[in-house]
Amino acid sequence: MKCNWCESSQATSSSGTVYWELPDGTKAVTITETPSVICGDCGMEYQEETTLKEIEDQLFLINTKVLEAELSYKELMAKPRLLKRNYFDFSS
């Protein structure tokens, strides 16, 4: 795996904790066990764009009023959706 920051081949898949502000700005949540990349050379820990998009889409599609302050990535992605897809995403 190649690091997106320093382009080293010392990057590995891992999981970490991220902090996310809800799309409506009402609160922030802690998402544990989030798929991440950690680079052994530069020390950077980050999430790939696909993971970021999955989190953003899910937070648009679920009822965030009843969302816990802390949950795992798997728990977040398992929340029932109010809509089938993010109709506000015009990037595809």
Side-chain angles (χ1 to χ4, degrees):
M1 178 174 265
K2 189 175 182 180
C3 176
N4 288 348
W5 295 91
C6 71
E7 300 185 356
S8 166
S9 61
Q10 297 300 313
T12 57
S13 295
S14 185
S15 64
T17 299
V18 297
Y19 306 92
W20 217 276
E21 183 178 346
L22 297 183
D24 63 5
T26 56
K27 65 180 176 181
V29 295
T30 301
I31 307 169
T32 61
E33 302 173 35
T34 304
S36 302
V37 176
I38 296 178
C39 179
D41 279 347
C42 71
M44 183 61 77
E45 180 178 350
Y46 62 93
Q47 291 69 44
E48 301 217 35
E49 289 295 323
T50 53
T51 303
L52 299 177
K53 181 161 178 20
E54 288 172 350
I55 292 171
E56 282 290 326
D57 283 350
Q58 186 69 349
L59 289 173
F60 269 112
L61 299 174
I62 64 173
N63 181 2
T64 58
K65 301 291 184 220
V66 296
L67 191 62
E68 301 92 328
E70 182 173 325
L71 70 165
S72 73
Y73 175 80
K74 286 183 181 180
E75 290 170 332
L76 172 65
M77 299 315 284
K79 296 283 184 191
R81 293 180 169 192
L82 301 174
L83 298 170
K84 291 183 181 183
R85 67 180 193 90
N86 184 354
Y87 294 99
F88 301 102
D89 180 8
F90 302 108
S91 63
S92 0

